[in-house]
Each structure stands twice: as structure tokens, then as C-alpha cells.
Amino acid sequence: MPEFSRDLDVYQGFNFKKDQQTAVGYILSVSIGGQALTADMETISDPEQPDKALTSKVVAVLNSYHWDTGVTDAMYFNGQLSTSNKTKIAEMLLGTFANVEVVFKYVVYEYDPIAKKYFKSNFVDSDLNGILEKNGDRLTIKVANNESREVQSPKNFAFQIGIKPKTLEQSVNVAAASSKNIVKKWGVTETA
């Protein structure tokens, strides 16, 4: 089965330049164990409409994304978080994870050299519902203690998370070019 794996440009994610054509990605919203992380990282305008002076805030700017595209395969995100979200995750890691549910929304943008514009290559229309992936006895979630040096302002911290789908059929949009959108399923509904 094909995989969808992208290395993303963190610098471009924070400091978007129209003449650069590297892939960028963002976690738009995420709640882990019922605790919502704050969308407090200011980003650029929509890469699909770079001339518009709209800015938005996201939870994280991504530097990689990986999904093997199977309905039960985990999604893996590596990105940069704000200081306040780093602190929330560190508190979670020091506590006990009684609730491993994750509700999240994300987007990955790539540049289409034929259409000469950015497009959403992997995204969701509504929140996805999953659970933290386990690797042996360990949950797949980490946050760095020291701030990242790749982008120094705003202060940000590296983090990673792996999320498996809940027993619920959900939809993920993937695309190979600006007009080549495919809807794939993530998760399966349990039958009685």
C-alpha cells in the first residue's frame, strides 16, 4: 500500500515566502486526553492565497508527517509547539494518561509546478478522532526540554505524536496535484 510521507519546511511554515516552493504543514487544532492545546503560533496567510493579508494561528508548525494510508495505520506528526503548549504536554507526560483520546485537525500544503500554485495535499474537513499510539509500553508522544534553534522567534519546542484511529470510519483527503483529490478512509466502524 502506498504511503503519504512528507518532510516539511518549518522555516517556510513560520516565514512564508511566495517565491519558495517547499511543502509546509500545520496542526490546526488538537485535544489530548480532553485537554485542548492552544492555537497560539501565528502563521502566514493561506498558501493557496498568498497575496491575501490574512493570518491565522495554529497549534503547531510541522516539519514532517507520515501515514501509511491504511485504514488502521497511525499518523505521525513532528513539529514545533509554543512554550505554553510544551508545558501542557510536559505536565501530561509527568502525570498519568487515564484518557488517551486525541481529537485533531491538520493540513499539509505542497506546490504544484504545473498549475504554479500551492494546494492542500493532505487534510481533513472535520476533526479526526483517534488515540495515542503505543510503542510497546510507551505512548508515542514527546516534547523537547530545550527550545528549537531552526526558527528562533517565536520561541518553539520540538514535539512528536503518533495517533491511531478510533473504531470509527473517518475521511482524509489526499492529493497528488492541485486538481487530483482523493478521499481515503481512516478507521473502521466496529460491527456488533
Side-chain angles (χ1 to χ4, degrees):
M1 183 170 287
E3 66 180 31
F4 190 100
S5 186
R6 298 293 186 270
D7 288 325
L8 305 167
D9 188 337
V10 172
Y11 187 83
Q12 174 81 338
F14 278 103
N15 305 292
F16 189 78
K17 292 180 175 42
K18 291 188 284 184
D19 60 343
Q20 300 282 329
Q21 294 152 0
T22 55
V24 295
Y26 306 99
I27 293 180
L28 305 173
S29 63
V30 66
S31 174
I32 303 167
Q35 293 187 49
L37 298 185
T38 306
D40 57 2
M41 300 287 273
E42 192 158 313
T43 64
I44 47 77
S45 60
D46 181 348
E48 292 178 308
Q49 303 174 48
D51 294 325
K52 292 199 175 178
L54 303 171
T55 58
S56 61
K57 293 189 177 190
V58 298
V59 174
V61 177
L62 297 174
N63 50 12
S64 70
Y65 168 84
H66 179 86
W67 175 40
D68 283 332
T69 70
V71 294
T72 61
D73 291 333
M75 292 182 181
Y76 300 94
F77 300 88
N78 289 300
Q80 307 300 120
L81 293 170
S82 68
T83 304
S84 64
N85 285 330
K86 176 249 185 207
T87 303
K88 281 184 187 176
I89 291 179
E91 287 173 6
M92 289 179 205
L93 292 171
L94 291 172
T96 58
F97 268 102
N99 181 352
V100 294
E101 293 184 7
V102 181
V103 178
F104 65 107
K105 193 171 185 178
Y106 70 95
V107 62
V108 173
Y109 294 96
E110 290 183 69
Y111 188 79
D112 183 336
I114 295 170
K116 295 185 177 12
K117 64 180 184 176
Y118 272 92
F119 67 98
K120 292 177 183 173
S121 64
N122 190 301
F123 66 100
V124 293
D125 295 318
S126 58
D127 289 342
L128 290 180
N129 293 279
I131 56 172
L132 286 173
E133 185 201 36
K134 275 187 118 174
N135 187 358
D137 289 343
R138 300 179 66 118
L139 294 171
T140 307
I141 182 170
K142 294 179 184 177
V143 67
N145 290 321
N146 299 320
E147 64 187 89
S148 176
R149 295 285 176 207
E150 190 171 356
V151 174
Q152 294 182 13
S153 182
K155 189 185 274 192
N156 59 90
F157 296 82
F159 97 107
Q160 56 186 240
I161 188 169
I163 307 167
K164 292 193 72 77
K166 286 182 83 172
T167 52
L168 170 70
E169 189 175 286
Q170 302 167 80
S171 297
V172 175
N173 299 289
V174 293
S178 63
S179 59
K180 309 289 184 205
N181 197 19
I182 300 164
V183 177
K184 297 197 70 68
K185 297 299 177 198
W186 192 61
V188 289
T189 303
E190 203 170 51
T191 55

